[in-house]
Amino acid sequence: MARPLSQRAPVMVLILIVGLTLAAALVVNAFVRDQQRSRFEREAAVYTQALQDRVSVYERLLGTMRAAWVAQGPLQTEASFSRFVDGLDLASRYPGLQAVGYGQSVAASATDRLERELRQTVTPDFRVREAGAPQAERVVISLIAPPNAQNISTLGFDMNSEPLRAQGSVPRGPVTACRRPTCCLSRSGTRPASP
């Protein structure tokens, strides 16, 4: 027997309210998800731009260093190089950058000549050190600033003697950078007797 409309009305209203609630929840969920995605994309774009700007600052530093080498030549004294780097104000302009160095490219057969030249211009005890097997071409850290104990200990290190670093020293564009050579430092940050 069919129920009268007055008895079916509350059930129909309940079903209608549940249906409308589910529809509203789906619409609100989609709206909130779109808002969150849009907010994430905006924040990601801001951080991406900030990171690109920061990397650009470091690229300009490397460009400045390259221009200095072109203008003054690679065989500067350590004192003149230190004055130049002091003028860059690394600590405040380039936070996180420990040192700026120059890796001089030289054929393995010319290593002795380079050591003699750098003993006169850089330090009397300058010598080329390798982390692995010597390569046909060497990239020797010949100047570094600021001249603190930890940075000075990297002088003479052949960056091409490490395979990964040698791959990183191949120019791939207008700027080349590499991580600090840790293999030639002891735990205390001083130069070990033999690298």
Side-chain angles (χ1 to χ4, degrees):
M1 172 172 189
R3 291 185 176 172
L5 185 60
S6 62
Q7 288 180 347
R8 286 186 286 158
V11 172
M12 290 173 49
V13 168
L14 178 64
I15 291 172
L16 180 65
I17 289 173
V18 168
L20 288 173
T21 301
L22 286 175
L26 290 174
V27 168
V28 168
N29 183 36
F31 176 72
V32 167
R33 196 174 331 132
D34 286 344
Q35 258 188 338
Q36 288 175 342
R37 184 180 305 119
S38 176
R39 179 178 172 210
F40 172 78
E41 288 172 359
R42 277 192 318 270
E43 287 184 19
V46 167
Y47 287 118
T48 300
Q49 185 62 46
L51 183 59
Q52 287 173 340
D53 291 345
R54 196 71 199 150
V55 168
S56 176
V57 166
Y58 288 94
E59 285 179 346
R60 285 193 302 271
L61 170 65
L62 292 174
T64 299
M65 296 306 299
R66 181 176 291 177
W69 294 123
V70 169
Q72 298 175 5
L75 291 178
Q76 301 182 43
T77 65
E78 192 171 1
S80 68
F81 182 67
S82 289
R83 282 192 308 274
F84 174 75
V85 172
D86 285 345
L88 294 174
D89 194 18
L90 294 180
S92 63
R93 288 185 185 167
Y94 306 98
L97 188 66
Q98 178 181 337
V100 174
Y102 174 71
Q104 188 163 344
S105 179
V106 63
S109 60
T111 302
D112 291 336
R113 182 177 51 81
L114 176 68
E115 282 182 337
R116 283 191 304 275
E117 289 173 4
L118 294 176
R119 282 182 186 136
Q120 293 174 356
T121 60
V122 177
T123 181
D125 64 343
F126 188 93
R127 69 179 181 88
V128 174
R129 301 178 325 276
E130 302 91 13
Q135 304 295 313
E137 182 180 3
R138 294 178 161 183
V139 177
V140 178
I141 299 175
S142 57
L143 294 171
I144 196 157
N148 59 38
Q150 192 171 22
N151 293 339
I152 296 282
S153 67
T154 62
L155 282 173
F157 178 69
D158 176 13
M159 293 192 295
N160 269 0
S161 66
E162 286 184 337
L164 285 176
R165 196 175 308 277
Q167 290 174 357
S169 69
V170 174
R172 291 186 175 85
V175 174
T176 302
C178 65
R179 66 180 198 273
R180 188 172 126 264
T182 55
C183 63
C184 58
L185 297 176
S186 69
R187 291 183 187 265
S188 65
T190 60
R191 185 184 304 195
S194 60

